[in-house]
Amino acid sequence: MFKLLFLLCAALFSAQNYRFVYEYKMKPDVERKDSVVTDYMNLDTDGKKSYFSNAVKYERDSVYNADKSYAAFLKSKNYNRNLNYVLEKDHAKKSFNFYNKFKNVGLVVTDQELPKWKMENEFKKISNMNCQKAIADYKGRKWVAWFSKDFPVSDGPYKFSGLPGLVVSVKDREDDHVFELIQIKKISAVTAFIPKNNKKMSQDEYRKLIKGYRFSPGEDIAAMNVDSKAGTIGLELKDGYVTQLDYSKIKKSGADMDAVIDKMLRMSNNPIEKE
């Protein structure tokens, strides 16, 4: 009876589209453990494929694709530059496609390494969901996850899939990266804004590229919007990242504008994968 009920739930789930929203807390400056950035990530799935991306980026791209308003695009909400990617999961092939942009070049990095989970005999309820604990050494970090079979989907934030249920909470031992499920809702369709004409790269090539990146105004800025009344400068980089700077604070501190932007971008380069 239980097996039949589970199969029925799985059939109903696969026929619908869901969005799982995760609160994501990360420490962009590893030398300052009190520095915490909070952002929100969407996991959109139809049961066969899923897309994981930043909620603000998705909203911004949706608005821009609808009306092509460049002014609204530059004034949109900010998000951490390290969250500019879209992660596509193909559950049948058990593979990940990591889409990102470097300047104006679309990149895709394919990965088939799933976490090797060890399920623990520990259980608890999180937001009325029955959850079980699992641990894994993955991508250079030790992870602790809580998953629930209440939703018959083997998925979770980022690349944390492969468990017999939905990952409700997952964090590394140092609490540098913490994902918590905060919302579940049905959506009409699963869509993703993926760059076209992507250049394939290995993971090693991608890490070297990002690690060696330094900001260059002439090469990296796609557009700039100065609001003299508000004292702000809106920037869009060629990789699609949008940010807004408080010019009055920068001028008051006597700092060099390029140095401030370069530091900001390097501080945000704190990937989940340490290897």
Side-chain angles (χ1 to χ4, degrees):
M1 180 66 182
F2 178 77
K3 184 176 182 181
L4 179 62
L5 181 61
F6 181 84
L7 291 174
L8 178 61
C9 289
L12 289 172
F13 178 84
S14 63
Q16 296 176 336
N17 305 310
Y18 279 85
R19 172 169 294 164
F20 302 99
V21 182
Y22 290 86
E23 180 185 74
Y24 175 34
K25 292 185 177 181
M26 64 174 288
K27 296 173 182 174
D29 186 352
V30 294
E31 296 178 357
R32 287 182 54 210
K33 290 299 181 180
D34 62 337
S35 66
V36 178
V37 171
T38 301
D39 223 313
Y40 299 90
M41 308 294 290
N42 293 339
L43 175 65
D44 293 355
T45 180
D46 61 6
K48 297 178 181 178
K49 275 193 174 182
S50 65
Y51 296 91
F52 184 71
S53 62
N54 180 262
V56 172
K57 181 184 185 302
Y58 182 88
E59 180 182 344
R60 186 206 68 184
D61 290 346
S62 298
V63 171
Y64 181 70
N65 277 271
D67 58 19
K68 305 297 181 183
S69 173
Y70 208 67
F73 182 74
L74 284 173
K75 292 180 179 179
S76 59
K77 297 177 183 178
N78 293 337
Y79 61 93
N80 190 277
R81 184 171 182 266
N82 194 49
L83 306 178
N84 206 38
Y85 63 84
V86 176
L87 182 65
E88 178 187 46
K89 303 177 191 176
D90 188 319
H91 297 296
K93 295 180 180 179
K94 296 182 178 180
S95 65
F96 310 111
N97 285 325
F98 183 89
Y99 296 93
N100 208 347
K101 287 186 72 177
F102 181 74
K103 299 185 179 180
N104 60 346
V105 180
L107 306 176
V108 57
V109 182
T110 301
D111 187 9
Q112 291 185 309
E113 182 187 356
L114 288 167
K116 295 179 180 179
W117 296 105
K118 178 186 176 183
M119 287 186 281
E120 302 281 286
N121 193 30
E122 290 187 43
F123 304 86
K124 69 177 180 179
K125 277 201 171 186
I126 302 176
S127 299
N128 290 324
M129 288 183 285
N130 298 303
C131 298
Q132 183 176 355
K133 185 179 180 181
I135 59 175
D137 289 342
Y138 187 60
K139 304 293 186 181
R141 297 181 187 272
K142 296 183 183 294
W143 298 93
V144 177
W146 291 89
F147 70 95
S148 175
K149 295 180 182 178
D150 293 352
F151 268 86
V153 53
S154 178
D155 210 340
Y158 195 62
K159 298 180 181 180
F160 300 112
S161 54
L163 284 164
L166 176 70
V167 175
V168 176
S169 171
V170 61
K171 64 178 182 178
D172 69 314
R173 295 285 190 184
E174 291 76 28
D175 287 346
D176 289 338
H177 300 272
V178 180
F179 295 91
E180 300 283 352
L181 180 65
I182 61 170
Q183 188 179 31
I184 302 173
K185 56 185 176 181
K186 293 180 182 179
I187 55 177
S188 58
V190 174
T191 58
F193 301 98
I194 296 175
K196 297 180 180 179
N197 303 317
N198 298 292
K199 178 182 177 181
K200 291 185 178 181
M201 300 187 75
S202 69
Q203 295 225 30
D204 288 341
E205 290 172 331
Y206 180 74
R207 291 191 190 99
K208 288 179 181 177
L209 183 68
I210 298 301
K211 187 176 181 180
Y213 173 75
R214 290 295 181 271
F215 175 72
S216 172
E219 296 180 3
D220 292 338
I221 295 178
M224 180 182 294
N225 181 40
V226 179
D227 189 332
S228 56
K229 290 184 178 180
T232 59
I233 299 175
L235 291 178
E236 183 210 348
L237 302 187
K238 291 182 179 179
D239 62 4
Y241 176 68
V242 175
T243 189
Q244 183 170 281
L245 304 174
D246 189 326
Y247 178 70
S248 59
K249 287 185 179 180
I250 295 174
K251 186 176 180 180
K252 187 176 180 180
S253 69
D256 178 74
M257 179 70 72
D258 293 348
V260 169
I261 298 174
D262 183 62
K263 182 180 180 181
M264 176 188 69
L265 299 183
R266 283 190 287 109
M267 293 282 281
S268 70
N269 183 23
N270 184 33
I272 292 174
E273 302 176 20
K274 291 178 68 174
E275 295 179 338

